[in-house]
Amino acid sequence: MKNQNILLTALAFISIQNVEAQKNTDLAHEGLEMISKIELVKHLSIIASDEMEGRKTGEAGQKKAAEYIRSFYKKMGIDALPGTDDYYQKVPSEAMKKMFSPKLNDSENVVAYIKGSEKPDEYLIISAHYDHVGVANGEIYNGADDNGTGTTAVLEMARVFQEMAKKGHGPKRSVIFLHCTGEEYGLHGSRYFVNSKILPKEQMVTNLNVDMIGRTDIIHQNDKKNYIYLVGSDRLSLELHNISEQMNKKYTKLNLDYTYNAEKHPEMIYYRSDHYNFAKFNIPVIFYYSGEHVDYHQPTDTVDKIEFDKMLQRTQLIFVTAWELANRNEKVKLTNS
């Protein structure tokens, strides 16, 4: 009789686990369907407009973009991260000094969050830099793809997380939406955030970083299937890599290209965007990227060249991965821990 009771208890536990897994799958799919191309177009058309003057770190256009981002979070009712000044984390000029780099004025990260319902002290960080390179020779470098697309994707994922929370399906872990400044001049904003002690590093469980997801590079010009480059997913946590693969297989079925993840790849992409400042401290990361194009760091990187259908699918993949990471029972483990 004792063994029978143990078996029944085990079966009941498995049944509960299966019900919870199915519920999470259903909610992830519901959220995925809420990601809106119309919202992506709306935000990017403003963030990469001439009014933002190329969003150069510390300049008037960057500050206009910061205010637009902050106003969005206020309108959505998404809280500022505690420790910020009404969403702004000041990044002082002296923290952005780098050899052979121009002197930059004081700037701001913009940081919002949704508090976790069960694990509020574990933080999933979704990041994108919102700065670009400004104006040169009278031409505005709008930076639509770099990195208006990442900025816009983070805003849209935040909207959907908040809409789901309003329905009673808030994330179990806290989710931070981090808009970094100073990336173009040395990954300054993300480095300042990680080192600022605004959060203990051990509470930062994963970083998903989005930088340029709106175009098709030369390598994939003739592909019939949409793709995205993933960098870093298996560098620190094989479990994170496997979750990422599973989410894509279950929901979006993109071609996941790991070309730039090769440790000796000459482009060294792993070290060139904001995720690296998390990875340095053994915080597992995934970097999402669609590759360079002829308009990279040119005044021709404009909204009319963005492939919004592809950007939508890529944002959906990042969202369902974030949803899983925010709601699974255990945080992802380091491979060698």
Side-chain angles (χ1 to χ4, degrees), residues 14-290:
I14 292 170
S15 177
I16 290 170
Q17 292 289 94
N18 288 339
V19 169
E20 287 184 355
Q22 184 58 51
K23 179 182 177 182
N24 200 40
T25 296
D26 293 343
L27 290 173
H29 189 265
E30 181 180 343
L32 176 151
E33 292 294 324
M34 291 168 64
I35 301 288
S36 167
K37 177 180 172 181
I38 292 173
E39 291 294 311
L40 295 174
V41 173
K42 178 183 75 174
H43 288 306
L44 187 57
S45 297
I46 295 170
I47 288 167
S49 67
D50 287 352
E51 180 185 353
M52 301 300 178
E53 301 173 336
R55 309 188 303 278
K56 183 176 179 180
T57 300
E59 302 297 330
Q62 172 259 302
K63 295 182 184 299
K64 288 179 184 177
E67 181 55 34
Y68 179 82
I69 293 166
R70 178 166 69 173
S71 295
F72 166 82
Y73 285 115
K74 286 185 173 183
K75 181 179 179 181
M76 287 299 304
I78 301 174
D79 291 336
L81 182 68
T84 64
D85 180 9
D86 194 19
Y87 301 90
Y88 285 173
Q89 181 190 37
K90 181 181 176 181
V91 182
S93 176
E94 56 266 28
M96 296 188 286
K97 291 179 179 177
K98 190 174 181 181
M99 190 178 295
F100 306 120
S101 180
K103 185 180 186 301
L104 301 169
N105 297 325
D106 292 350
S107 190
E108 303 83 21
N109 292 327
V110 188
V111 199
Y113 94 125
I114 298 174
K115 187 175 182 178
S117 59
E118 296 182 18
K119 302 171 188 290
D121 295 327
E122 294 182 7
Y123 294 86
L124 167 66
I125 299 164
I126 308 175
S127 63
H129 76 90
Y130 72 101
D131 64 302
H132 194 52
V133 297
V135 179
N137 300 318
E139 292 189 283
I140 298 172
Y141 287 62
N142 298 104
D145 194 25
D146 185 16
N147 184 32
T149 53
T151 302
T152 297
V154 173
L155 292 176
E156 179 59 2
M157 286 186 281
R159 182 188 70 82
V160 173
F161 265 103
Q162 180 72 338
E163 292 293 346
M164 296 294 283
K166 288 178 180 178
K167 295 180 180 181
H169 307 305
K172 292 179 180 178
R173 288 179 180 80
S174 296
V175 181
I176 290 177
F177 307 99
L178 171 62
H179 299 267
C180 300
T181 190
E183 191 271 355
E184 297 288 1
Y185 298 96
L187 315 184
H188 295 304
S190 56
R191 183 179 65 252
Y192 192 81
F193 176 85
V194 173
N195 290 321
S196 67
K197 299 182 181 178
I198 195 168
L199 292 176
K201 293 182 180 70
E202 61 270 19
Q203 292 180 332
M204 303 180 193
V205 298
T206 314
N207 170 235
L208 304 181
N209 184 44
V210 194
D211 192 348
M212 296 176 59
I213 60 164
R215 298 281 296 271
T216 301
D217 67 2
I218 294 172
I219 296 169
H220 293 281
Q221 283 293 331
N222 297 319
D223 288 7
K224 294 182 180 179
K225 188 175 182 180
N226 195 5
Y227 75 99
I228 189 73
Y229 291 109
L230 267 62
V231 181
S233 62
D234 63 350
R235 294 285 185 104
L236 297 170
S237 172
L238 189 58
E239 184 177 31
L240 176 60
H241 174 81
N242 291 337
I243 290 168
S244 170
E245 286 275 341
Q246 290 163 10
M247 293 302 100
N248 182 58
K249 184 177 180 181
K250 183 183 288 188
Y251 296 104
T252 48
K253 299 179 173 59
L254 301 184
N255 169 23
L256 303 185
D257 191 327
Y258 295 99
T259 298
Y260 291 112
N261 192 49
E263 291 200 24
K264 295 185 179 180
H265 194 281
E267 293 289 330
M268 306 280 284
I269 294 294
Y270 181 65
Y271 306 95
R272 289 175 50 191
S273 191
D274 289 309
H275 59 279
Y276 182 61
N277 282 318
F278 294 90
K280 283 193 297 188
F281 293 100
N282 283 329
I283 299 164
V285 303
I286 304 178
F287 175 39
Y288 299 90
Y289 174 61
S290 58

